[in-house]
Amino acid sequence: MQVRLSLLLALFPSALALWPQPTSINTGKTALKLAHGFDIKLSVPNAPSDLKDAVSRAKGFLKTDALAALVIDRGASAAGALKSAKSLPSLTVEFAAKNGKVKSISEEAIAPIGTRDEGYTLSVPADGSPAVLKANSTLGLFRGLQTFGQIWFDFSGTTYTLEAPIQISDKPAYPYRGFMLDTARNFYPVADIKRTLDAMSWVKINTLHWHVVDSQSFPLQIPGFEKLSKNGAYNPSAVYTPKDVKDIVSYAAARGIDVIPEIDTPGHTSVISKSFPEHIACAEAKPWASFANEPPAGQLRLASAATTKFTASLLKAAAGLFPGQFFSTGGDEINANCYTQDKQTQSDLSASGKTFAQALDSFTQASHAALRSAGKSAVVWEVLTPLHTEMVLDNPVTLANDTVVMVWISSEHVQAVAQSGHRLVHAASDYFYLDCGHGGWVGAFPTGNSWCDPFKTWQHAYVFDPVANLTAAQASLVLGGQSLLWSEQSSPANLDATVWPRAASTAELFWSGPGGDVQKALSRLHEVVYRFRQRGVAANSLQPEWCVLRPGDCDLTA
Amino acid sequence: MRLAFFAVLPGVLALWPIPTTLTTGTSILVLSSTFTITVNVPNAPQDLLDAVSRTKTYLATDNLQRLVVDRGASDAASFKASPALASLTITLQNTTSVLPIATEAVKDFSSRIEGYTLAIPNTGAPAVLSANSTLGLFRGLTTFAQLWYTWNGTVYSNVAPVNIVKDSPAYPYRGFMLDTSRNFFPVTDIKRTLDAMSWVKLNQFHWHITDSQSFPLSLPDFPELAQKGAYSVTQVYSPSDVQDIVSYAAARGIDVLMEIDTPGHTAIIAASHPEHIACSQSSPWTTFANEPPAGQLRLATPATVNFTTGLITAAAKVLPGKYFSTGGDELNTACYTQDAKTQADLKSSGQTLEKALNSFTQATHGALAKLGKNPVVWEEMVLEHTLMLSNNTVVMVWISSMNAASVASKNFRIVHAPSDYFYLDCGAGEWIGKNPTGNSWCDPFKTWQHAYTFNPLANISSSQAHLVLGGQQLLWAEQSDSSNLDSIVWPRAAISAEVFWSAKQPNGKALDGTEAQARLHDVRFRMVQRGVKAIALQPQWCALRPGLCNLDS
């Protein structure tokens, strides 16, 4: 009995497999197929070219996804219903804001956070009349196009849904839904980043936090500071030129994604010593474990006036490459011993009469002032806020009100960051670090495990509560969150499989809001995996295909 | 002065697995632009000629730069003044019977000859590779191809002269297991994996081809099993696919050990033969199986015993190897206790379940014996059950490395496949649904460093040491498929290749992960050049600076 029931259920998916789940959705039980001449019509005055391109890509996916339904018969039993099904002739994409100014997706995507309008409504009638997508912004229309693309399955060349009519009204719970990529530990060619941006856009992630440089390599070519990448990139081809950056930033923006670059300071800067040894304390000092959290050691001489000036102008020059509102100056894992043992830092402190904490404060003020003069707001890791646990500071670093703080060490620090009054982004290692659980990578350490064991499963991230232990006022400081890939053990070889579909779990958490049910989410997430693969992103398997085709049958209690 | 400086640089040699004996120099030797491989083998078999041809292609296309900070730029100054190697001569010592690599590769363990000698002078005089079998020559070609780097179009070695007086494996079984049932892998994935295996001298492909979730093996005598049990019509290994894989493997010195796991791990057989499966998809699955779906062959039913022996015969008879695995892990007794049919069959035959299991196993192993094949089983068959197994049975130890000694004490030959060292799937989190706090059952992730410390003879007496055939790393595919195959397997699976080929360093010292790391980076980077997406082990900064990312450096 039980067996037969589960087989029956598995033949008919119980809900549309949209990801992230829309705010509100109503579906029917009617089969509907795309007409042979199906078209997407733009009803947008002076439609910007990036919207036209997005429509063209959406039409492409409808043709090429060719995704068979994830049920045992892969949709064969729907064939009968499809013969007599109505055909959808078109989707009308309509700019709904009366008297609103039509901007490009690219402009909307990088507007100040909190002012972006990503909502849309989508109606797909069952009677063969045109579907309608409406939004008050081109960015909202772009999000709706992604949803529309997830509705359809393929059986034997027919593109169909069994759940018409469909009514959707949708907008994000949080304005920041990100993914962080570290391109310094190992390098990723531009093509990998673009493929990742595409995948991000399919699940409505809207921020690429680009941890572009670190102690190991400096692939970013910055006008006026070319020496840094010339001496600090892994090789001459492992470089992001200003042209590459422009390419990436515009590719991202056209897909509704803002890019937040990070030049981590004052720690995580060892490789700068290859070009400017005078600015780096404890460069490649040994044993590295005394001077840094990972090799090689080396930090900017934050007490040196020349280094402070150098850093401020470096940040300003780098900021000029990126159109977005935010720029991260990092600030994590500052190693005190490195500075204690650096004669120059000690004499600079002594000459200025500053404590170390005051010097860090001045350094940070200078960096952030440089960004402000370039029109940017600063983003920092949690350690630069007063709560922080890694170093004892006499005086906390003063941060401007518009500074955004990323919580990474532990989700338990969220409350303390919120108490500081700063806006925050969830990036906690205990939920969102995609690199955890792959064993130690440091050499000569056979018993070493991942520092942040265990592996962070999609299920674990999915049940994260963004407002746990926060008051209502504090909850308003939560901008959203992101998954992160630190690349000590990653490279193009495993990028897709390590990131996807796990980063999509976080995308839904912060678009649809918390409280999702992992049991219900699983079959939809399988579909993300299978659709991504059809689109050329090698997302990882979450279960045996037997389970994929039988929702619920591989649950713990099934 | 300069030479001495080079000699102390770690990581200058990138052979994997490290040969039995090895002397190297510090000279640059350039590969001549007209370099040729002369095959001095009477009636050289085609698979040897093909292997030579592939070797020449790798030399031309690997295009791997040395893993040092300048990637070899400072070597370039020496190129003009350095001698050029014009040829490698490969010679078969024993020419009484010249057999194809493919024939040598599938011989029984005791008759496989994999050793070779290799000498590469630093004068430009021809290099010489010799062996007593084409299989040995193939292994030597693999070694030869690992010696070369490329800078600006020049292919060169920086460690000439190279002298390998002897290189032969410490253990005859060096394997890799792939599960193609939980998720399907196309033939091209398997072939790419076989290529990568051959590059590190692995010689056994343990093909866990079917399981409870899908039955991708298409057998002419039992076509309904794949028709009803494969995930789709395209996710099938046809008879010609199997032959294609077997011959591709054999030409690369790899024997295919196929497994049809019985009597457990067979739920999907119910899709075509419901009469043979007990507790088919019973719920809750946790009562009836270690993972969903539940279902086991009705081992007490004569018709099912017949069916199973027929099935195993059909699968085994077309394979050239001397071994076939009937599985035997994770037998669930509740499944049989609650199966009315099994209880009735036991009652009518007057057998206990244990006796019935013995009869069932005798029958399947008898079928293999008729084909001249030896059975391979998982450890439970000897440690948890009292069965009469023939002496030639090979036992795979998987539950824990601690169990190897118990298997040895029962005088069975052993393949090390312990989950606590060699399971490549561990550490990727829970895959069972509706269990957000679940982790991998065999946490943590098995790092290459950990696997490398494995001692094949731990707790095994010297009189039992001969029972250890070797070992393998394994990929169970609940959370794997084409998407992550390369990156989850490589370079980690190269670890057992060295543990069981080399067993110790050429200087006689125990294998040492600190020494091995730079060479393993080289394996990884060369695999990437050859189209296998091996994962990065460290930041590239570390890969180019051997030792500088060690814990204590």
Side-chain angles (χ1 to χ4, degrees):
Chain A
M1 276 312 272
Q2 276 164 321
V3 171
R4 242 181 280 150
L5 185 62
S6 92
L7 281 174
L8 266 176
L9 286 173
L11 285 173
F12 303 100
S14 56
L16 266 185
L18 306 178
W19 194 283
Q21 183 78 348
T23 314
S24 106
I25 177 166
N26 280 298
T27 59
K29 301 268 180 211
T30 307
L32 178 69
K33 57 194 177 193
L34 287 189
H36 284 299
F38 174 82
D39 197 14
I40 301 181
K41 295 176 176 167
L42 274 176
S43 172
V44 180
N46 302 315
S49 65
D50 56 10
L51 181 61
K52 287 181 188 162
D53 292 344
V55 164
S56 153
R57 287 197 305 279
K59 281 158 70 175
F61 288 138
L62 290 171
K63 284 209 175 78
T64 58
D65 275 3
L67 176 65
L70 296 181
V71 292
I72 294 170
D73 71 2
R74 304 309 300 272
S77 56
L82 292 181
K83 268 190 193 153
S84 55
K86 297 270 202 256
S87 290
L88 183 70
S90 63
L91 167 69
T92 303
V93 172
E94 190 180 319
F95 187 77
K98 283 176 189 152
N99 310 319
K101 184 172 180 289
V102 177
K103 296 181 187 167
S104 66
I105 299 168
S106 302
E107 284 173 86
E108 307 259 13
I110 63 169
I113 202 158
T115 69
R116 299 173 199 162
D117 185 350
E118 302 186 77
Y120 65 93
T121 61
L122 175 63
S123 166
V124 182
D127 61 1
S129 55
V132 180
L133 167 63
K134 291 184 187 178
N136 290 324
S137 69
T138 56
L139 183 59
L141 293 175
F142 180 76
R143 300 291 178 230
L145 281 171
Q146 306 317 309
T147 305
F148 185 78
Q150 292 177 341
I151 289 173
W152 310 96
F153 296 109
D154 174 89
F155 183 76
S156 234
T158 300
T159 307
Y160 71 97
T161 176
L162 297 179
E163 300 191 60
I166 299 165
Q167 291 287 345
I168 290 170
S169 171
D170 197 12
K171 63 176 186 180
Y174 290 94
Y176 185 110
R177 305 172 309 279
F179 167 65
M180 190 214 79
L181 183 65
D182 158 17
T183 58
R185 273 54 178 257
N186 282 300
F187 180 78
Y188 298 83
V190 172
D192 285 306
I193 297 177
K194 286 185 171 179
R195 191 176 66 258
T196 303
L197 288 164
D198 274 317
M200 289 164 66
S201 75
W202 301 334
V203 291
K204 303 187 174 72
I205 292 176
N206 69 355
T207 310
L208 172 68
H209 171 192
W210 189 1
H211 186 90
V212 62
V213 300
D214 207 295
S215 274
Q216 288 83 359
S217 79
F218 202 103
L220 182 64
Q221 196 182 96
I222 300 170
F225 295 84
E226 284 83 357
K227 212 157 83 166
L228 285 169
S229 52
K230 187 164 184 287
N231 298 329
Y234 281 132
N235 63 58
S237 62
V239 164
Y240 305 108
T241 64
K243 191 163 163 269
D244 292 333
V245 171
K246 198 170 178 190
D247 188 18
I248 287 169
V249 163
S250 58
Y251 195 90
R255 284 154 184 79
I257 298 168
D258 189 15
V259 177
I260 300 184
E262 175 184 357
I263 294 189
D264 201 349
T265 62
H268 291 273
T269 47
S270 177
V271 75
I272 291 176
S273 71
K274 301 295 181 198
S275 319
F276 299 95
E278 68 277 20
H279 292 316
I280 301 298
C282 69
E284 300 186 22
K286 295 181 185 183
W288 61 263
S290 300
F291 300 95
N293 279 27
E294 64 182 53
Q299 306 185 139
L300 285 162
R301 287 192 163 116
L302 53 70
S304 147
T307 300
T308 304
K309 202 175 156 199
F310 164 82
T311 307
S313 37
L314 171 65
L315 290 168
K316 190 167 181 182
L321 296 169
F322 297 89
Q325 170 198 6
F326 291 117
F327 193 106
S328 173
T329 60
D332 56 320
E333 299 185 320
I334 300 168
N335 183 293
N337 184 51
C338 168
Y339 292 124
T340 307
Q341 305 213 9
D342 183 49
K343 279 181 191 159
Q344 152 113 45
T345 299
Q346 291 309 314
S347 72
D348 286 338
L349 287 174
S350 162
S352 67
K354 283 181 183 165
T355 64
F356 173 71
Q358 288 166 335
L360 175 60
D361 191 30
S362 307
F363 176 86
T364 308
Q365 298 287 338
S367 304
H368 289 191
L371 289 178
R372 207 170 297 119
S373 74
K376 311 281 183 196
S377 300
V379 178
V380 295
W381 294 109
E382 61 174 274
V383 293
L384 279 180
T385 62
L387 71 115
H388 84 73
T389 55
E390 285 182 307
M391 286 169 32
V392 179
L393 295 182
D394 300 327
N395 299 300
V397 170
T398 317
L399 297 171
N401 287 338
D402 66 345
T403 308
V404 172
V405 180
M406 292 189 169
V407 179
W408 72 276
I409 297 174
S410 165
S411 56
E412 291 182 6
H413 296 178
V414 168
Q415 192 185 25
V417 171
Q419 275 163 8
S420 77
H422 289 288
R423 291 177 296 172
L424 66 93
V425 169
H426 290 292
S429 59
D430 49 338
Y431 281 87
F432 301 127
Y433 271 30
L434 300 176
D435 60 316
C436 300
H438 290 112
W441 60 267
V442 165
F445 191 26
T447 57
N449 284 319
S450 164
W451 74 270
C452 51
D453 259 339
F455 181 90
K456 307 305 170 225
T457 64
W458 76 266
Q459 300 97 309
H460 180 65
Y462 195 76
V463 300
F464 180 80
D465 178 0
V467 294
N469 305 317
L470 300 184
T471 65
Q474 289 168 344
S476 69
L477 297 169
V478 177
L479 291 178
Q482 62 185 13
S483 320
L484 308 90
L485 183 61
W486 299 105
S487 293
E488 285 85 353
Q489 295 162 295
S490 286
S491 74
N494 66 313
L495 174 64
D496 289 7
T498 301
V499 173
W500 304 110
R502 285 190 293 156
S505 182
T506 312
E508 177 153 299
L509 172 66
F510 292 104
W511 177 283
S512 311
D517 176 339
V518 287
Q519 202 245 351
K520 288 182 182 148
L522 179 55
S523 56
R524 288 187 297 112
L525 193 56
H526 280 315
E527 201 173 297
V528 171
V529 171
Y530 279 68
R531 197 177 292 277
F532 270 34
R533 289 179 184 168
Q534 298 299 94
R535 295 181 183 182
V537 172
N540 201 56
S541 266
L542 298 173
Q543 290 189 323
E545 192 162 306
W546 190 90
C547 307
V548 174
L549 304 183
R550 293 165 181 82
D553 280 8
C554 292
D555 288 353
L556 185 61
T557 51
Chain B
M1 277 306 274
R2 215 163 135 240
L3 294 182
F5 174 68
F6 273 127
V8 296
L9 268 182
V12 291
L13 187 72
L15 298 180
W16 193 284
I18 199 78
T20 315
T21 73
L22 177 66
T23 59
T24 57
T26 52
S27 305
I28 299 273
L29 178 66
V30 169
L31 200 69
S32 165
S33 57
T34 58
F35 174 79
T36 59
I37 299 180
T38 307
V39 180
N40 184 15
V41 177
N43 302 314
Q46 187 58 44
D47 60 8
L48 180 63
L49 297 176
D50 291 345
V52 164
S53 157
R54 286 198 306 277
T55 304
K56 289 199 290 204
T57 301
Y58 291 142
L59 292 170
T61 60
D62 274 2
N63 198 20
L64 175 66
Q65 296 180 339
R66 276 180 65 206
L67 296 182
V68 291
V69 175
D70 74 1
R71 305 308 303 271
S74 56
D75 299 331
S78 312
F79 290 165
K80 268 198 179 157
S82 297
L85 182 69
S87 70
L88 166 70
T89 302
I90 69 172
T91 303
L92 195 61
Q93 300 290 5
N94 175 3
T95 55
T96 50
S97 70
V98 181
L99 298 173
I101 298 168
T103 307
E104 303 275 4
V106 301
K107 285 181 171 175
D108 205 345
F109 298 122
S110 57
S111 2
R112 283 183 210 167
I113 300 168
E114 301 188 78
Y116 66 92
T117 69
L118 174 65
I120 306 172
N122 63 350
T123 59
V128 178
L129 167 64
S130 61
N132 287 322
S133 72
T134 53
L135 182 58
L137 291 175
F138 177 69
R139 299 293 178 225
L141 283 169
T142 302
T143 304
F144 184 82
Q146 289 178 340
L147 285 162
W148 307 92
Y149 298 98
T150 303
W151 177 260
N152 222 358
T154 298
V155 179
Y156 70 102
S157 172
N158 62 319
V159 294
V162 177
N163 224 325
I164 298 173
V165 174
K166 181 193 174 195
D167 190 21
S168 62
Y171 294 92
Y173 186 112
R174 305 175 308 281
F176 167 65
M177 190 215 77
L178 183 65
D179 160 16
T180 59
S181 170
R182 271 56 177 258
N183 280 302
F184 180 80
F185 295 85
V187 172
T188 53
D189 282 335
I190 296 178
K191 286 185 171 179
R192 190 176 66 256
T193 303
L194 290 165
D195 274 317
M197 288 170 65
S198 76
W199 301 334
V200 291
K201 302 187 174 68
L202 289 175
N203 71 350
Q204 288 289 144
F205 176 54
H206 173 189
W207 191 359
H208 185 90
I209 189 167
T210 64
D211 208 294
S212 275
Q213 288 81 357
S214 77
F215 203 102
L217 175 62
S218 176
L219 295 167
D221 300 341
F222 295 86
E224 68 280 7
L225 285 169
Q227 277 164 12
K228 305 269 185 182
Y231 282 133
S232 70
V233 288
T234 57
Q235 289 165 300
V236 163
Y237 303 109
S238 70
S240 66
D241 288 337
V242 171
Q243 288 310 311
D244 188 19
I245 285 169
V246 164
S247 58
Y248 194 90
R252 283 153 185 80
I254 297 168
D255 186 20
V256 175
L257 166 63
M258 187 179 281
E259 174 184 0
I260 294 191
D261 202 349
T262 62
H265 291 273
T266 47
I268 197 69
I269 290 177
S272 50
H273 295 274
E275 70 278 15
H276 292 315
I277 300 298
C279 66
S280 171
Q281 297 192 39
S282 289
S283 180
W285 62 263
T286 44
T287 305
F288 300 101
N290 280 25
E291 65 182 51
Q296 305 187 139
L297 284 163
R298 287 193 162 117
L299 52 76
T301 304
T304 301
V305 175
N306 279 342
F307 165 80
T308 309
T309 56
L311 169 61
I312 287 187
T313 300
K317 71 182 182 189
V318 298
L319 300 171
K322 297 278 181 287
Y323 293 83
F324 191 95
S325 175
T326 59
D329 57 320
E330 300 185 320
L331 192 81
N332 182 295
T333 52
C335 169
Y336 292 124
T337 308
Q338 304 204 11
D339 183 49
K341 167 85 170 133
T342 297
Q343 292 307 313
D345 287 335
L346 287 174
K347 198 171 175 193
S348 67
S349 68
Q351 284 186 318
T352 61
L353 182 67
E354 199 62 19
K355 285 229 168 96
L357 174 62
N358 188 48
S359 307
F360 177 89
T361 308
Q362 298 284 329
T364 55
H365 288 193
L368 288 176
K370 270 192 203 158
L371 297 171
K373 300 202 191 280
N374 304 307
V376 179
V377 294
W378 295 108
E379 63 171 277
E380 292 100 310
M381 291 284 101
V382 298
L383 297 184
E384 293 179 15
H385 301 284
T386 315
L387 309 178
M388 290 159 60
L389 298 176
S390 75
N391 291 337
N392 62 11
T393 307
V394 172
V395 178
M396 291 190 166
V397 177
W398 72 275
I399 296 174
S400 164
S401 55
M402 304 297 285
N403 296 348
S406 308
V407 173
S409 71
K410 293 181 186 288
N411 207 33
F412 286 106
R413 289 181 295 170
I414 293 170
V415 169
H416 289 293
S419 57
D420 50 335
Y421 281 87
F422 292 154
Y423 270 30
L424 299 175
D425 60 317
C426 300
E430 173 65 282
W431 60 269
I432 291 293
K434 212 177 170 182
N435 187 18
T437 58
N439 285 317
S440 162
W441 74 271
C442 52
D443 259 340
F445 182 90
K446 307 306 170 222
T447 64
W448 75 265
Q449 299 96 314
H450 175 64
Y452 199 69
T453 63
F454 182 78
N455 175 3
L457 299 177
N459 304 315
I460 288 175
S461 70
S462 55
S463 65
Q464 295 166 336
H466 71 280
L467 295 170
V468 178
L469 288 177
Q472 64 184 10
Q473 283 160 296
L474 309 89
L475 183 63
W476 298 105
E478 284 87 351
Q479 294 161 297
S480 286
D481 65 10
S482 299
S483 302
N484 69 333
L485 174 65
D486 289 6
S487 61
I488 202 164
V489 173
W490 304 110
R492 282 191 294 158
I495 291 306
S496 43
E498 182 150 296
V499 166
F500 295 104
W501 175 286
S502 313
K504 57 181 172 34
Q505 298 185 57
N507 61 14
K509 289 185 183 162
L511 294 179
D512 171 5
T514 307
E515 178 281 328
Q517 173 128 40
R519 289 187 295 110
L520 192 60
H521 276 308
D522 218 89
V523 170
R524 184 262 166 176
F525 278 82
R526 198 177 290 275
M527 281 187 170
V528 169
Q529 295 301 98
R530 293 182 184 179
V532 171
K533 293 178 156 192
I535 205 167
L537 299 172
Q538 291 187 321
Q540 189 169 324
W541 191 91
C542 307
L544 303 184
R545 293 165 180 83
L548 290 194
C549 292
N550 288 353
L551 184 62
D552 55 356
S553 68

